[in-house]
mmCIF file of all heavy atoms in Angstrom:
data_model
loop_
_atom_site.group_PDB
_atom_site.id
_atom_site.type_symbol
_atom_site.label_atom_id
_atom_site.label_comp_id
_atom_site.label_asym_id
_atom_site.label_seq_id
_atom_site.Cartn_x
_atom_site.Cartn_y
_atom_site.Cartn_z
ATOM 1 N N MET A 1 0.851 -1.178 0.000
ATOM 2 C CA MET A 1 0.000 0.000 0.000
ATOM 3 C C MET A 1 0.900 1.246 0.000
ATOM 4 O O MET A 1 1.848 1.344 0.767
ATOM 5 C CB MET A 1 -0.879 -0.027 1.233
ATOM 6 C CG MET A 1 -1.913 1.015 1.274
ATOM 7 S SD MET A 1 -2.976 0.573 2.659
ATOM 8 C CE MET A 1 -4.334 1.584 2.361
ATOM 9 N N THR A 2 0.568 2.207 -0.823
ATOM 10 C CA THR A 2 1.326 3.445 -0.934
ATOM 11 C C THR A 2 0.948 4.391 0.199
ATOM 12 O O THR A 2 -0.239 4.570 0.484
ATOM 13 C CB THR A 2 1.032 4.133 -2.282
ATOM 14 O OG1 THR A 2 1.272 3.205 -3.319
ATOM 15 C CG2 THR A 2 1.892 5.348 -2.469
ATOM 16 N N PRO A 3 1.937 5.005 0.858
ATOM 17 C CA PRO A 3 1.601 5.949 1.932
ATOM 18 C C PRO A 3 0.902 7.192 1.385
ATOM 19 O O PRO A 3 1.097 7.561 0.225
ATOM 20 C CB PRO A 3 2.959 6.314 2.534
ATOM 21 C CG PRO A 3 3.961 5.919 1.525
ATOM 22 C CD PRO A 3 3.357 4.854 0.670
ATOM 23 N N ALA A 4 0.082 7.801 2.225
ATOM 24 C CA ALA A 4 -0.631 9.023 1.831
ATOM 25 C C ALA A 4 0.388 10.142 1.594
ATOM 26 O O ALA A 4 1.397 10.233 2.282
ATOM 27 C CB ALA A 4 -1.606 9.431 2.920
ATOM 28 N N PRO A 5 0.122 10.981 0.602
ATOM 29 C CA PRO A 5 1.043 12.097 0.356
ATOM 30 C C PRO A 5 1.044 13.076 1.529
ATOM 31 O O PRO A 5 0.058 13.226 2.239
ATOM 32 C CB PRO A 5 0.486 12.750 -0.905
ATOM 33 C CG PRO A 5 -0.915 12.282 -1.021
ATOM 34 C CD PRO A 5 -1.000 10.966 -0.294
ATOM 35 N N ASP A 6 2.155 13.706 1.726
ATOM 36 C CA ASP A 6 2.306 14.679 2.803
ATOM 37 C C ASP A 6 1.610 15.974 2.392
ATOM 38 O O ASP A 6 2.040 16.649 1.449
ATOM 39 C CB ASP A 6 3.793 14.898 3.050
ATOM 40 C CG ASP A 6 4.069 15.892 4.161
ATOM 41 O OD1 ASP A 6 3.118 16.394 4.792
ATOM 42 O OD2 ASP A 6 5.254 16.167 4.400
ATOM 43 N N ALA A 7 0.551 16.334 3.095
ATOM 44 C CA ALA A 7 -0.235 17.525 2.753
ATOM 45 C C ALA A 7 0.616 18.787 2.829
ATOM 46 O O ALA A 7 0.500 19.672 1.980
ATOM 47 C CB ALA A 7 -1.447 17.636 3.665
ATOM 48 N N GLU A 8 1.469 18.869 3.825
ATOM 49 C CA GLU A 8 2.316 20.061 3.972
ATOM 50 C C GLU A 8 3.286 20.185 2.797
ATOM 51 O O GLU A 8 3.516 21.285 2.285
ATOM 52 C CB GLU A 8 3.088 19.996 5.289
ATOM 53 C CG GLU A 8 3.800 21.272 5.636
ATOM 54 C CD GLU A 8 2.875 22.460 5.855
ATOM 55 O OE1 GLU A 8 1.725 22.275 6.289
ATOM 56 O OE2 GLU A 8 3.314 23.599 5.580
ATOM 57 N N ALA A 9 3.813 19.068 2.356
ATOM 58 C CA ALA A 9 4.720 19.087 1.203
ATOM 59 C C ALA A 9 3.977 19.517 -0.061
ATOM 60 O O ALA A 9 4.535 20.231 -0.898
ATOM 61 C CB ALA A 9 5.351 17.718 1.010
ATOM 62 N N ALA A 10 2.728 19.119 -0.180
ATOM 63 C CA ALA A 10 1.936 19.509 -1.351
ATOM 64 C C ALA A 10 1.694 21.021 -1.361
ATOM 65 O O ALA A 10 1.805 21.663 -2.413
ATOM 66 C CB ALA A 10 0.609 18.758 -1.357
ATOM 67 N N VAL A 11 1.380 21.582 -0.204
ATOM 68 C CA VAL A 11 1.155 23.032 -0.120
ATOM 69 C C VAL A 11 2.466 23.766 -0.418
ATOM 70 O O VAL A 11 2.476 24.761 -1.157
ATOM 71 C CB VAL A 11 0.595 23.427 1.271
ATOM 72 C CG1 VAL A 11 0.517 24.943 1.413
ATOM 73 C CG2 VAL A 11 -0.779 22.806 1.475
ATOM 74 N N GLN A 12 3.564 23.278 0.127
ATOM 75 C CA GLN A 12 4.865 23.895 -0.129
ATOM 76 C C GLN A 12 5.186 23.853 -1.620
ATOM 77 O O GLN A 12 5.684 24.826 -2.187
ATOM 78 C CB GLN A 12 5.963 23.184 0.663
ATOM 79 C CG GLN A 12 7.346 23.779 0.445
ATOM 80 C CD GLN A 12 7.487 25.175 1.000
ATOM 81 O OE1 GLN A 12 7.214 25.394 2.174
ATOM 82 N NE2 GLN A 12 7.906 26.120 0.184
ATOM 83 N N SER A 13 4.867 22.746 -2.251
ATOM 84 C CA SER A 13 5.108 22.614 -3.685
ATOM 85 C C SER A 13 4.286 23.629 -4.481
ATOM 86 O O SER A 13 4.779 24.227 -5.443
ATOM 87 C CB SER A 13 4.776 21.187 -4.132
ATOM 88 O OG SER A 13 4.974 21.044 -5.506
ATOM 89 N N GLU A 14 3.044 23.834 -4.069
ATOM 90 C CA GLU A 14 2.211 24.840 -4.733
ATOM 91 C C GLU A 14 2.792 26.243 -4.551
ATOM 92 O O GLU A 14 2.807 27.045 -5.486
ATOM 93 C CB GLU A 14 0.782 24.811 -4.189
ATOM 94 C CG GLU A 14 -0.046 23.673 -4.722
ATOM 95 C CD GLU A 14 -1.487 23.805 -4.315
ATOM 96 O OE1 GLU A 14 -2.090 24.887 -4.541
ATOM 97 O OE2 GLU A 14 -2.030 22.842 -3.751
ATOM 98 N N TYR A 15 3.255 26.532 -3.343
ATOM 99 C CA TYR A 15 3.856 27.846 -3.088
ATOM 100 C C TYR A 15 5.118 28.017 -3.937
ATOM 101 O O TYR A 15 5.333 29.080 -4.525
ATOM 102 C CB TYR A 15 4.176 28.021 -1.605
ATOM 103 C CG TYR A 15 4.751 29.372 -1.307
ATOM 104 C CD1 TYR A 15 3.922 30.478 -1.172
ATOM 105 C CD2 TYR A 15 6.127 29.564 -1.204
ATOM 106 C CE1 TYR A 15 4.442 31.743 -0.930
ATOM 107 C CE2 TYR A 15 6.656 30.818 -0.962
ATOM 108 C CZ TYR A 15 5.812 31.903 -0.823
ATOM 109 O OH TYR A 15 6.327 33.153 -0.598
ATOM 110 N N ASP A 16 5.925 26.976 -4.003
ATOM 111 C CA ASP A 16 7.142 27.033 -4.819
ATOM 112 C C ASP A 16 6.796 27.286 -6.287
ATOM 113 O O ASP A 16 7.492 28.029 -6.975
ATOM 114 C CB ASP A 16 7.938 25.740 -4.682
ATOM 115 C CG ASP A 16 8.517 25.553 -3.284
ATOM 116 O OD1 ASP A 16 8.570 26.530 -2.510
ATOM 117 O OD2 ASP A 16 8.918 24.412 -2.977
ATOM 118 N N GLY A 17 5.705 26.690 -6.748
ATOM 119 C CA GLY A 17 5.264 26.922 -8.119
ATOM 120 C C GLY A 17 4.868 28.374 -8.342
ATOM 121 O O GLY A 17 5.188 28.968 -9.375
ATOM 122 N N ALA A 18 4.180 28.950 -7.378
ATOM 123 C CA ALA A 18 3.802 30.364 -7.483
ATOM 124 C C ALA A 18 5.048 31.241 -7.511
ATOM 125 O O ALA A 18 5.137 32.204 -8.286
ATOM 126 C CB ALA A 18 2.891 30.764 -6.320
ATOM 127 N N THR A 19 6.030 30.879 -6.686
ATOM 128 C CA THR A 19 7.283 31.633 -6.648
ATOM 129 C C THR A 19 8.015 31.539 -7.990
ATOM 130 O O THR A 19 8.516 32.544 -8.497
ATOM 131 C CB THR A 19 8.172 31.105 -5.509
ATOM 132 O OG1 THR A 19 7.467 31.260 -4.280
ATOM 133 C CG2 THR A 19 9.478 31.863 -5.424
ATOM 134 N N ARG A 20 8.067 30.341 -8.539
ATOM 135 C CA ARG A 20 8.733 30.169 -9.845
ATOM 136 C C ARG A 20 8.028 30.964 -10.931
ATOM 137 O O ARG A 20 8.670 31.584 -11.765
ATOM 138 C CB ARG A 20 8.784 28.689 -10.229
ATOM 139 C CG ARG A 20 9.912 27.929 -9.586
ATOM 140 C CD ARG A 20 10.087 26.558 -10.202
ATOM 141 N NE ARG A 20 8.884 25.741 -10.133
ATOM 142 C CZ ARG A 20 8.493 25.033 -9.089
ATOM 143 N NH1 ARG A 20 9.233 25.026 -7.993
ATOM 144 N NH2 ARG A 20 7.390 24.324 -9.120
ATOM 145 N N LYS A 21 6.694 30.914 -10.915
ATOM 146 C CA LYS A 21 5.935 31.651 -11.931
ATOM 147 C C LYS A 21 6.115 33.149 -11.739
ATOM 148 O O LYS A 21 6.252 33.892 -12.705
ATOM 149 C CB LYS A 21 4.469 31.252 -11.879
ATOM 150 C CG LYS A 21 3.696 31.725 -13.067
ATOM 151 C CD LYS A 21 2.433 30.949 -13.259
ATOM 152 C CE LYS A 21 1.832 31.363 -14.582
ATOM 153 N NZ LYS A 21 0.603 30.684 -14.867
ATOM 154 N N GLY A 22 6.090 33.584 -10.494
ATOM 155 C CA GLY A 22 6.382 34.970 -10.172
ATOM 156 C C GLY A 22 5.372 35.996 -10.641
ATOM 157 O O GLY A 22 5.724 37.155 -10.844
ATOM 158 N N THR A 23 4.111 35.584 -10.758
ATOM 159 C CA THR A 23 3.084 36.535 -11.184
ATOM 160 C C THR A 23 2.084 36.782 -10.059
ATOM 161 O O THR A 23 1.901 35.943 -9.163
ATOM 162 C CB THR A 23 2.305 36.015 -12.411
ATOM 163 O OG1 THR A 23 1.603 34.815 -12.038
ATOM 164 C CG2 THR A 23 3.230 35.750 -13.590
ATOM 165 N N ARG A 24 1.442 37.935 -10.133
ATOM 166 C CA ARG A 24 0.389 38.269 -9.168
ATOM 167 C C ARG A 24 -0.691 37.187 -9.177
ATOM 168 O O ARG A 24 -1.158 36.754 -8.126
ATOM 169 C CB ARG A 24 -0.207 39.637 -9.543
ATOM 170 C CG ARG A 24 -1.414 40.014 -8.720
ATOM 171 C CD ARG A 24 -1.810 41.447 -8.939
ATOM 172 N NE ARG A 24 -0.872 42.350 -8.298
ATOM 173 C CZ ARG A 24 -0.861 42.609 -6.993
ATOM 174 N NH1 ARG A 24 -1.738 42.043 -6.205
ATOM 175 N NH2 ARG A 24 0.028 43.429 -6.480
ATOM 176 N N GLU A 25 -1.067 36.733 -10.361
ATOM 177 C CA GLU A 25 -2.127 35.731 -10.487
ATOM 178 C C GLU A 25 -1.757 34.431 -9.768
ATOM 179 O O GLU A 25 -2.595 33.817 -9.119
ATOM 180 C CB GLU A 25 -2.430 35.445 -11.957
ATOM 181 C CG GLU A 25 -3.069 36.595 -12.688
ATOM 182 C CD GLU A 25 -2.081 37.689 -13.110
ATOM 183 O OE1 GLU A 25 -0.847 37.438 -13.117
ATOM 184 O OE2 GLU A 25 -2.541 38.801 -13.405
ATOM 185 N N ALA A 26 -0.501 34.019 -9.872
ATOM 186 C CA ALA A 26 -0.070 32.780 -9.228
ATOM 187 C C ALA A 26 -0.162 32.895 -7.706
ATOM 188 O O ALA A 26 -0.636 31.974 -7.032
ATOM 189 C CB ALA A 26 1.355 32.432 -9.647
ATOM 190 N N TYR A 27 0.278 34.020 -7.163
ATOM 191 C CA TYR A 27 0.198 34.206 -5.712
ATOM 192 C C TYR A 27 -1.250 34.344 -5.261
ATOM 193 O O TYR A 27 -1.639 33.794 -4.216
ATOM 194 C CB TYR A 27 1.006 35.428 -5.273
ATOM 195 C CG TYR A 27 2.484 35.163 -5.237
ATOM 196 C CD1 TYR A 27 3.312 35.591 -6.266
ATOM 197 C CD2 TYR A 27 3.069 34.492 -4.169
ATOM 198 C CE1 TYR A 27 4.674 35.350 -6.235
ATOM 199 C CE2 TYR A 27 4.430 34.246 -4.128
ATOM 200 C CZ TYR A 27 5.222 34.678 -5.169
ATOM 201 O OH TYR A 27 6.565 34.428 -5.122
ATOM 202 N N GLU A 28 -2.068 35.041 -6.006
ATOM 203 C CA GLU A 28 -3.484 35.182 -5.646
ATOM 204 C C GLU A 28 -4.184 33.831 -5.656
ATOM 205 O O GLU A 28 -4.997 33.544 -4.777
ATOM 206 C CB GLU A 28 -4.175 36.161 -6.580
ATOM 207 C CG GLU A 28 -3.761 37.595 -6.332
ATOM 208 C CD GLU A 28 -4.305 38.571 -7.359
ATOM 209 O OE1 GLU A 28 -4.776 38.132 -8.435
ATOM 210 O OE2 GLU A 28 -4.245 39.785 -7.088
ATOM 211 N N ARG A 29 -3.869 32.994 -6.628
ATOM 212 C CA ARG A 29 -4.457 31.656 -6.706
ATOM 213 C C ARG A 29 -4.038 30.839 -5.472
ATOM 214 O O ARG A 29 -4.864 30.154 -4.864
ATOM 215 C CB ARG A 29 -4.012 30.951 -7.979
ATOM 216 C CG ARG A 29 -4.660 29.593 -8.166
ATOM 217 C CD ARG A 29 -4.261 28.906 -9.485
ATOM 218 N NE ARG A 29 -4.058 29.834 -10.569
ATOM 219 C CZ ARG A 29 -2.868 30.068 -11.160
ATOM 220 N NH1 ARG A 29 -1.787 29.433 -10.791
ATOM 221 N NH2 ARG A 29 -2.771 30.938 -12.148
ATOM 222 N N PHE A 30 -2.761 30.927 -5.099
ATOM 223 C CA PHE A 30 -2.301 30.210 -3.913
ATOM 224 C C PHE A 30 -3.071 30.670 -2.676
ATOM 225 O O PHE A 30 -3.531 29.845 -1.881
ATOM 226 C CB PHE A 30 -0.796 30.415 -3.695
ATOM 227 C CG PHE A 30 -0.306 29.702 -2.479
ATOM 228 C CD1 PHE A 30 0.031 28.368 -2.534
ATOM 229 C CD2 PHE A 30 -0.234 30.358 -1.261
ATOM 230 C CE1 PHE A 30 0.446 27.691 -1.394
ATOM 231 C CE2 PHE A 30 0.174 29.697 -0.115
ATOM 232 C CZ PHE A 30 0.512 28.355 -0.186
ATOM 233 N N ILE A 31 -3.245 31.959 -2.512
ATOM 234 C CA ILE A 31 -3.970 32.494 -1.355
ATOM 235 C C ILE A 31 -5.418 32.014 -1.356
ATOM 236 O O ILE A 31 -5.958 31.650 -0.305
ATOM 237 C CB ILE A 31 -3.887 34.029 -1.327
ATOM 238 C CG1 ILE A 31 -2.436 34.457 -1.058
ATOM 239 C CG2 ILE A 31 -4.831 34.611 -0.284
ATOM 240 C CD1 ILE A 31 -2.175 35.924 -1.322
ATOM 241 N N ARG A 32 -6.056 32.007 -2.510
ATOM 242 C CA ARG A 32 -7.444 31.522 -2.584
ATOM 243 C C ARG A 32 -7.536 30.053 -2.172
ATOM 244 O O ARG A 32 -8.488 29.655 -1.502
ATOM 245 C CB ARG A 32 -8.005 31.683 -4.004
ATOM 246 C CG ARG A 32 -8.473 33.072 -4.323
ATOM 247 C CD ARG A 32 -9.311 33.103 -5.594
ATOM 248 N NE ARG A 32 -8.661 32.481 -6.730
ATOM 249 C CZ ARG A 32 -7.817 33.093 -7.566
ATOM 250 N NH1 ARG A 32 -7.503 34.357 -7.372
ATOM 251 N NH2 ARG A 32 -7.294 32.451 -8.585
ATOM 252 N N ARG A 33 -6.559 29.254 -2.570
ATOM 253 C CA ARG A 33 -6.594 27.825 -2.275
ATOM 254 C C ARG A 33 -6.216 27.509 -0.824
ATOM 255 O O ARG A 33 -6.679 26.509 -0.274
ATOM 256 C CB ARG A 33 -5.668 27.060 -3.222
ATOM 257 C CG ARG A 33 -6.190 27.018 -4.647
ATOM 258 C CD ARG A 33 -5.234 26.322 -5.598
ATOM 259 N NE ARG A 33 -4.813 25.015 -5.159
ATOM 260 C CZ ARG A 33 -5.477 23.869 -5.386
ATOM 261 N NH1 ARG A 33 -6.604 23.903 -6.064
ATOM 262 N NH2 ARG A 33 -4.994 22.725 -4.953
ATOM 263 N N HIS A 34 -5.379 28.341 -0.226
ATOM 264 C CA HIS A 34 -4.864 28.067 1.126
ATOM 265 C C HIS A 34 -4.882 29.342 1.982
ATOM 266 O O HIS A 34 -3.846 29.766 2.489
ATOM 267 C CB HIS A 34 -3.427 27.534 1.033
ATOM 268 C CG HIS A 34 -3.284 26.383 0.102
ATOM 269 N ND1 HIS A 34 -3.703 25.103 0.420
ATOM 270 C CD2 HIS A 34 -2.800 26.316 -1.165
ATOM 271 C CE1 HIS A 34 -3.458 24.301 -0.600
ATOM 272 N NE2 HIS A 34 -2.913 25.009 -1.573
ATOM 273 N N PRO A 35 -6.032 29.962 2.159
ATOM 274 C CA PRO A 35 -6.085 31.272 2.822
ATOM 275 C C PRO A 35 -5.574 31.297 4.256
ATOM 276 O O PRO A 35 -5.094 32.337 4.718
ATOM 277 C CB PRO A 35 -7.568 31.642 2.761
ATOM 278 C CG PRO A 35 -8.279 30.334 2.649
ATOM 279 C CD PRO A 35 -7.359 29.455 1.836
ATOM 280 N N ASP A 36 -5.645 30.189 4.976
ATOM 281 C CA ASP A 36 -5.255 30.173 6.379
ATOM 282 C C ASP A 36 -3.880 29.566 6.622
ATOM 283 O O ASP A 36 -3.435 29.478 7.764
ATOM 284 C CB ASP A 36 -6.299 29.414 7.208
ATOM 285 C CG ASP A 36 -7.663 30.084 7.138
ATOM 286 O OD1 ASP A 36 -7.703 31.331 7.109
ATOM 287 O OD2 ASP A 36 -8.680 29.370 7.094
ATOM 288 N N HIS A 37 -3.220 29.165 5.574
ATOM 289 C CA HIS A 37 -1.899 28.553 5.712
ATOM 290 C C HIS A 37 -0.851 29.644 5.951
ATOM 291 O O HIS A 37 -0.968 30.745 5.398
ATOM 292 C CB HIS A 37 -1.545 27.754 4.452
ATOM 293 C CG HIS A 37 -0.380 26.858 4.638
ATOM 294 N ND1 HIS A 37 0.917 27.304 4.570
ATOM 295 C CD2 HIS A 37 -0.315 25.542 4.929
ATOM 296 C CE1 HIS A 37 1.734 26.298 4.790
ATOM 297 N NE2 HIS A 37 1.009 25.209 5.014
ATOM 298 N N PRO A 38 0.170 29.370 6.762
ATOM 299 C CA PRO A 38 1.216 30.380 6.997
ATOM 300 C C PRO A 38 1.883 30.886 5.711
ATOM 301 O O PRO A 38 2.266 32.059 5.637
ATOM 302 C CB PRO A 38 2.223 29.650 7.885
ATOM 303 C CG PRO A 38 1.414 28.608 8.580
ATOM 304 C CD PRO A 38 0.361 28.180 7.602
ATOM 305 N N LEU A 39 1.991 30.042 4.708
ATOM 306 C CA LEU A 39 2.596 30.504 3.454
ATOM 307 C C LEU A 39 1.703 31.510 2.724
ATOM 308 O O LEU A 39 2.188 32.300 1.918
ATOM 309 C CB LEU A 39 2.911 29.316 2.538
ATOM 310 C CG LEU A 39 4.096 28.465 2.977
ATOM 311 C CD1 LEU A 39 4.215 27.223 2.088
ATOM 312 C CD2 LEU A 39 5.382 29.263 2.956
ATOM 313 N N ALA A 40 0.413 31.513 3.023
ATOM 314 C CA ALA A 40 -0.473 32.513 2.429
ATOM 315 C C ALA A 40 -0.077 33.905 2.909
ATOM 316 O O ALA A 40 -0.146 34.871 2.141
ATOM 317 C CB ALA A 40 -1.925 32.218 2.764
ATOM 318 N N GLN A 41 0.359 34.005 4.145
ATOM 319 C CA GLN A 41 0.825 35.303 4.642
ATOM 320 C C GLN A 41 2.070 35.746 3.889
ATOM 321 O O GLN A 41 2.212 36.911 3.532
ATOM 322 C CB GLN A 41 1.101 35.250 6.149
ATOM 323 C CG GLN A 41 1.530 36.576 6.726
ATOM 324 C CD GLN A 41 0.525 37.698 6.472
ATOM 325 O OE1 GLN A 41 -0.685 37.489 6.534
ATOM 326 N NE2 GLN A 41 1.021 38.886 6.165
ATOM 327 N N LYS A 42 2.972 34.813 3.624
ATOM 328 C CA LYS A 42 4.167 35.146 2.835
ATOM 329 C C LYS A 42 3.750 35.613 1.438
ATOM 330 O O LYS A 42 4.298 36.581 0.910
ATOM 331 C CB LYS A 42 5.097 33.940 2.725
ATOM 332 C CG LYS A 42 5.885 33.674 3.989
ATOM 333 C CD LYS A 42 6.812 32.495 3.836
ATOM 334 C CE LYS A 42 7.976 32.848 2.930
ATOM 335 N NZ LYS A 42 9.002 31.776 2.905
ATOM 336 N N ALA A 43 2.763 34.935 0.864
ATOM 337 C CA ALA A 43 2.283 35.321 -0.461
ATOM 338 C C ALA A 43 1.671 36.723 -0.418
ATOM 339 O O ALA A 43 1.886 37.527 -1.326
ATOM 340 C CB ALA A 43 1.258 34.306 -0.965
ATOM 341 N N ARG A 44 0.935 37.026 0.639
ATOM 342 C CA ARG A 44 0.358 38.373 0.781
ATOM 343 C C ARG A 44 1.460 39.431 0.879
ATOM 344 O O ARG A 44 1.323 40.525 0.327
ATOM 345 C CB ARG A 44 -0.544 38.433 2.010
ATOM 346 C CG ARG A 44 -1.837 37.683 1.849
ATOM 347 C CD ARG A 44 -2.728 37.809 3.090
ATOM 348 N NE ARG A 44 -3.855 36.919 2.978
ATOM 349 C CZ ARG A 44 -3.922 35.718 3.530
ATOM 350 N NH1 ARG A 44 -2.928 35.256 4.278
ATOM 351 N NH2 ARG A 44 -4.990 34.957 3.366
ATOM 352 N N GLU A 45 2.525 39.088 1.579
ATOM 353 C CA GLU A 45 3.649 40.033 1.706
ATOM 354 C C GLU A 45 4.316 40.284 0.354
ATOM 355 O O GLU A 45 4.684 41.413 0.041
ATOM 356 C CB GLU A 45 4.654 39.497 2.723
ATOM 357 C CG GLU A 45 4.122 39.517 4.143
ATOM 358 C CD GLU A 45 4.977 38.739 5.121
ATOM 359 O OE1 GLU A 45 6.072 38.265 4.755
ATOM 360 O OE2 GLU A 45 4.531 38.597 6.286
ATOM 361 N N VAL A 46 4.443 39.238 -0.437
ATOM 362 C CA VAL A 46 5.003 39.388 -1.784
ATOM 363 C C VAL A 46 4.100 40.305 -2.607
ATOM 364 O O VAL A 46 4.581 41.228 -3.289
ATOM 365 C CB VAL A 46 5.182 38.027 -2.481
ATOM 366 C CG1 VAL A 46 5.550 38.189 -3.937
ATOM 367 C CG2 VAL A 46 6.231 37.197 -1.755
ATOM 368 N N LEU A 47 2.795 40.093 -2.529
ATOM 369 C CA LEU A 47 1.856 40.944 -3.271
ATOM 370 C C LEU A 47 1.938 42.398 -2.795
ATOM 371 O O LEU A 47 1.899 43.318 -3.612
ATOM 372 C CB LEU A 47 0.432 40.427 -3.117
ATOM 373 C CG LEU A 47 0.113 39.102 -3.806
ATOM 374 C CD1 LEU A 47 -1.298 38.643 -3.452
ATOM 375 C CD2 LEU A 47 0.272 39.216 -5.316
ATOM 376 N N ALA A 48 2.052 42.581 -1.501
ATOM 377 C CA ALA A 48 2.096 43.938 -0.942
ATOM 378 C C ALA A 48 3.355 44.682 -1.359
ATOM 379 O O ALA A 48 3.345 45.910 -1.465
ATOM 380 C CB ALA A 48 2.011 43.880 0.585
ATOM 381 N N ALA A 49 4.426 43.941 -1.624
ATOM 382 C CA ALA A 49 5.685 44.591 -2.046
ATOM 383 C C ALA A 49 5.540 45.242 -3.423
ATOM 384 O O ALA A 49 6.276 46.179 -3.735
ATOM 385 C CB ALA A 49 6.812 43.560 -2.056
ATOM 386 N N GLY A 50 4.596 44.751 -4.219
ATOM 387 C CA GLY A 50 4.320 45.371 -5.517
ATOM 388 C C GLY A 50 5.417 45.209 -6.551
ATOM 389 O O GLY A 50 5.538 46.044 -7.445
ATOM 390 N N THR A 51 6.163 44.135 -6.481
ATOM 391 C CA THR A 51 7.269 43.955 -7.429
ATOM 392 C C THR A 51 7.034 42.851 -8.450
ATOM 393 O O THR A 51 7.956 42.447 -9.148
ATOM 394 C CB THR A 51 8.566 43.630 -6.648
ATOM 395 O OG1 THR A 51 8.338 42.445 -5.869
ATOM 396 C CG2 THR A 51 8.971 44.776 -5.742
ATOM 397 N N LEU A 52 5.799 42.380 -8.555
ATOM 398 C CA LEU A 52 5.499 41.265 -9.456
ATOM 399 C C LEU A 52 5.104 41.753 -10.846
ATOM 400 O O LEU A 52 4.724 42.904 -11.038
ATOM 401 C CB LEU A 52 4.361 40.417 -8.888
ATOM 402 C CG LEU A 52 4.658 39.739 -7.561
ATOM 403 C CD1 LEU A 52 3.412 39.064 -7.047
ATOM 404 C CD2 LEU A 52 5.776 38.738 -7.723
ATOM 405 N N LYS A 53 5.148 40.805 -11.772
ATOM 406 C CA LYS A 53 4.720 41.074 -13.157
ATOM 407 C C LYS A 53 3.219 41.180 -13.206
ATOM 408 O O LYS A 53 2.516 40.548 -12.498
ATOM 409 C CB LYS A 53 5.149 39.936 -14.079
ATOM 410 C CG LYS A 53 6.594 39.608 -14.027
ATOM 411 C CD LYS A 53 6.835 38.397 -14.896
ATOM 412 C CE LYS A 53 7.931 37.552 -14.301
ATOM 413 N NZ LYS A 53 8.100 36.282 -14.899
#
């Protein structure tokens, strides 16, 4: 039997994808999908910096 995937690793992977893409839309999508996750706060900080494409 295959072990269940690590939920935290999956969220981290999604955040890493948003970081690689580097667009406002990618970070906004991450926040919508995981609004209460600590990485959502990091994503909000990136958006607030106003340096995205």
Side-chain angles (χ1 to χ4, degrees):
M1 188 170 194
T2 306
D6 180 3
E8 190 63 30
V11 173
Q12 180 67 54
S13 179
E14 283 188 52
Y15 182 81
D16 293 344
T19 300
R20 278 191 303 278
K21 193 160 188 180
T23 64
R24 173 170 287 282
E25 292 79 16
Y27 283 101
E28 288 173 345
R29 184 177 326 114
F30 179 84
I31 293 167
R32 280 194 307 274
R33 290 177 52 86
H34 308 284
D36 298 323
H37 193 279
L39 287 173
Q41 182 57 39
K42 284 181 72 172
R44 288 182 189 97
E45 291 168 7
V46 171
L47 291 174
T51 58
L52 297 174
K53 306 175 214 170

